[in-house]
Amino acid sequence: SAAKPPTYSRIKRLPDGTYMLMWQRGAPTRSDNNGMETYYAIGNDIFGWTYKGCLFDHNDNAPGCKGGTVVRYYSCPELLVLRNGDILAINSFWAPSTYSLQAYREDHGLALKRSSDNGRSWSEESIIYYGQCWEPFLLEMPDGEIHCYFTEARPWISSSHSGTSLVLSKDGGRNWTPEPGSDPYRV
């Protein structure tokens, strides 16, 4: 099948004056355009871009929370440029095979990467939340605390989204409260 068109794009200005663009592509085998993986590009302005690659790549053999493996896809990219110049890139991750099952919450969640060099290199992925969710939004507060708001989904209760939730970091995005695996704060 042909690749799906890019969707859910996000642009941020970086500390060096360039711009970063992130977007998702859906799985060609799915009828929806929910993300499969996330790509990025850098530009000197918002009219010309240099493709940099896949930042969050799907995994056909991700470890499943109950053993075995699941297919892991990434959706809803978001960026935050911190006051110290670091860039945080976040995505929802999800496993289509277990998405509607409460007992498999840890097959889904929020994955974060960090760049300290204007997007030239990235940290390994870290998980800041486990549970079915979409559309993370990062916000740095005046005191440096970082908030990650997201749509928490509970498909075993409702076929639609079930509210806004929050996890937060007091150390620049390295550790998050509540800890992954715990219920988030409900907003």
Side-chain angles (χ1 to χ4, degrees):
S1 291
K4 297 261 180 124
T7 60
Y8 216 92
S9 57
R10 299 291 185 262
I11 297 173
K12 297 288 189 219
R13 186 162 191 207
L14 304 181
D16 68 356
T18 62
Y19 293 85
M20 183 173 168
L21 168 67
M22 275 178 58
W23 67 93
Q24 71 183 31
R25 284 198 186 265
T29 56
R30 291 184 57 88
S31 62
D32 59 37
N33 205 22
N34 288 336
M36 178 176 162
E37 48 208 13
T38 299
Y39 299 89
Y40 79 110
I42 303 289
N44 290 328
D45 55 41
I46 60 170
F47 301 106
W49 299 99
T50 301
Y51 174 75
K52 292 297 188 179
C54 187
L55 187 55
F56 290 88
D57 198 359
H58 80 282
N59 183 346
D60 289 333
N61 295 299
C65 69
K66 303 283 186 193
T69 61
V70 295
V71 172
R72 179 179 285 176
Y73 289 167
Y74 293 88
S75 285
C76 309
E78 180 62 70
L79 294 165
L80 175 65
V81 178
L82 299 176
R83 282 192 295 277
N84 72 0
D86 284 0
I87 305 165
L88 300 181
I90 192 166
N91 264 232
S92 300
F93 65 88
W94 61 293
S97 64
T98 63
Y99 180 75
S100 63
L101 304 172
Q102 184 175 10
Y104 290 82
R105 284 184 63 197
E106 291 192 7
D107 285 349
H108 318 274
L110 295 171
L112 184 80
K113 290 187 176 188
R114 174 187 304 273
S115 176
S116 298
D117 59 7
N118 288 292
R120 287 187 288 281
S121 64
W122 294 90
S123 68
E124 290 296 315
E125 178 180 298
S126 63
I127 306 301
I128 69 166
Y129 170 73
Y130 284 112
Q132 290 87 333
C133 63
W134 302 99
E135 301 171 333
F137 177 78
L138 296 168
L139 178 67
E140 186 176 21
M141 304 304 287
D143 65 359
E145 185 173 85
I146 300 170
H147 290 194
C148 179
Y149 297 92
F150 55 94
T151 302
E152 184 181 3
R154 295 180 213 125
W156 51 91
I157 297 171
S158 167
S159 62
S160 62
H161 302 304
S162 302
T164 302
S165 294
L166 166 71
V167 293
L168 52 90
S169 174
K170 294 180 182 279
D171 64 0
R174 289 171 178 76
N175 295 288
W176 294 83
T177 305
E179 291 182 9
S182 301
D183 285 337
Y185 299 118
R186 303 263 158 61
V187 179

